[in-house]
Amino acid sequence: MSPEPETSPTNPSTAAPPLEAPAPIRIPVPSGAGDPPDSDFPDEVDMSLVDHLEELRRRVLRSLLAVVVAAAACLLAVKPLVRMLEMPAEGIRFLQLAPGEFLFVSLKVAGYAGLTLALPYVLYEGLAFVLPGLTRRERNLVAPAVAGSAVLFAAGLAFAWWALVPAALRFLVSYGADVVEPSWSIERYLDFVLLLMVATALAFQLPVLQLLLGALGLVKAQPMLAGWRWVVLASALAGAVLTPSTDPVTMLLLSGAITALYLIGVGLVAFTERLRPA
């Protein structure tokens, strides 16, 4: 038997092939010239994963900076904000039950208000990062979805402020008013109001989610409408979970609003089905 040839790094017939570098990620750049108008990803360019992560880091840092700046600006005017949040509770005496309680309450109110004010810029940074990777059809859905989301978020805050919070406070104050005197902790009260407003604003995003799923062909209007009984049950459970209080008035108002929003979303899905070519 002849001896087997020895493997050597200098022997080209036995050396391992060199490792190839991963292919760069291709993303589009702002339109200038080049690709035909009907391409799914116009004006593509090569961009490495490291460049993607670096861009994501910059956008996240700018978003956080915008939230911090907006919160700092709201902290300068936090006392008028707190007085405005106290308006639905007329005749209620608020107490500071621990040293520094109002300081932490002020930071919390400024944080919520700053996040709300900076939300448009945060959405802009997120869209600027995501849009280059979307097709033309998906891009056409982004603008109406973002606009509808912003409008519904504001509508949810307004609905909670003008309907849910006053109704809940009237019920809670009237119940047992002849037995106990209502003197509330400012921290507990503002936690109740802020959580209720944020939960309602998030629940109002349901039609936007339905519209996106319907436009992408993932859901149909008829099966969604056929399951209305499960929707009523789910909205009742959501009303019980999302409301920080346990009063039935707030739960019924929020669950009714969620059911109405779901039906509006079904109508939007049916509208998109009619616009879709056969």
Side-chain angles (χ1 to χ4, degrees), residues 131-258:
L131 270 180
L134 301 180
T135 62
R136 289 183 181 273
R137 181 169 177 266
E138 292 170 341
R139 292 182 194 182
N140 293 333
L141 300 175
V142 169
V146 172
S149 177
V151 171
L152 287 175
F153 190 87
L157 292 177
F159 178 75
W161 175 253
W162 294 106
L164 292 184
V165 173
L169 292 181
R170 281 195 298 267
F171 175 82
L172 296 175
V173 171
S174 61
Y175 183 81
D178 54 342
V179 179
V180 295
E181 179 183 358
S183 297
W184 296 345
S185 165
I186 185 63
E187 183 179 10
R188 297 290 184 86
Y189 169 76
L190 290 179
D191 284 344
F192 167 78
V193 173
L194 294 174
L195 288 177
L196 184 58
M197 294 179 67
V198 171
T200 306
L202 294 178
F204 268 54
Q205 305 300 309
L206 181 59
V208 176
L209 178 61
Q210 292 174 269
L211 177 61
L212 290 176
L213 294 178
L216 296 175
L218 300 178
V219 295
K220 301 292 183 181
Q222 188 61 34
M224 293 173 65
L225 186 60
W228 64 270
R229 296 176 180 85
W230 294 103
V231 173
V232 173
L233 177 61
S235 63
L237 294 176
V241 172
L242 294 177
T243 50
S245 65
T246 57
D247 63 286
V249 177
T250 309
M251 294 166 55
L252 289 175
L253 286 175
L254 185 56
S255 61
I258 293 175

Side-chain angles (χ1 to χ4, degrees), residues 86-94 173 181-183:
E86 291 176 350
M87 287 174 57
E90 297 180 0
I92 301 298
R93 182 187 177 193
F94 293 102
V173 171
E181 179 183 358
S183 297

